[in-house]
Amino acid sequence: GFALPLKAEHKQFFKTALIPMHKVKPLHVFHRQLSYCVTQFVDKDHTLATEAILGLLKFWPVLNSSKELLFLNELEEVLELTQPEEFEMIFKPLFKRIGKAIGSPHFQIAERALF
């Protein structure tokens, strides 16, 4: 575990290593572990929720429905740990993306986005 408060180098690792790992093609191979790491960081420091959500939105898959489902699941986990003040900073781009997911022609994406 990490000592609290998180050191600057741990936050830098979160932003420059963990979040960009969401853009790789074989994400499904290690997504469960990556999602766990992200949620552990956000749980330790709630200010990282904004970075995590904006990172997910930045690397959001457009044509890969199975990867999009993984992102929706991880997004839900991070949102559960997000404080209201962080949520206020990201709700516009977040709802824009969720709206697109709701309108997805893939029924599982649309269904998952509704929950």
Side-chain angles (χ1 to χ4, degrees):
F2 293 109
L4 294 177
L6 289 179
K7 294 180 182 178
E9 57 263 25
H10 294 145
K11 291 180 183 182
Q12 188 66 23
F13 172 76
F14 178 80
K15 294 173 189 175
T16 59
L18 287 182
I19 296 301
M21 288 178 76
H22 287 85
K23 67 182 172 185
V24 300
K25 284 191 180 213
L27 177 68
H28 67 282
V29 174
F30 59 88
H31 182 261
R32 183 176 299 170
Q33 293 85 356
L34 177 60
S35 180
Y36 177 77
C37 288
V38 169
T39 55
Q40 288 300 303
F41 267 88
V42 173
D43 193 34
K44 299 278 186 196
D45 186 347
H46 294 287
T47 61
L48 293 175
T50 304
E51 293 284 338
I53 293 169
L54 290 176
L56 286 170
L57 296 177
K58 179 180 178 181
F59 299 119
W60 198 271
V62 179
L63 300 174
N64 187 339
S65 57
S66 61
K67 194 171 176 182
E68 193 168 359
L69 283 171
L70 294 175
F71 272 59
L72 285 167
N73 290 331
E74 184 172 355
L75 184 61
E76 179 184 16
E77 291 177 22
V78 173
L79 282 171
E80 287 176 359
L81 300 171
T82 304
Q83 299 300 309
E85 51 274 6
E86 279 92 33
F87 183 75
E88 286 179 22
M89 293 187 271
I90 50 94
F91 78 92
K92 285 183 182 178
L94 174 65
F95 286 154
K96 196 176 205 179
R97 174 51 63 194
I98 292 174
K100 287 179 183 178
I102 290 171
S104 172
H106 193 284
F107 81 95
Q108 287 178 319
I109 301 297
E111 182 180 60
R112 185 68 185 103
L114 287 170
F115 296 102

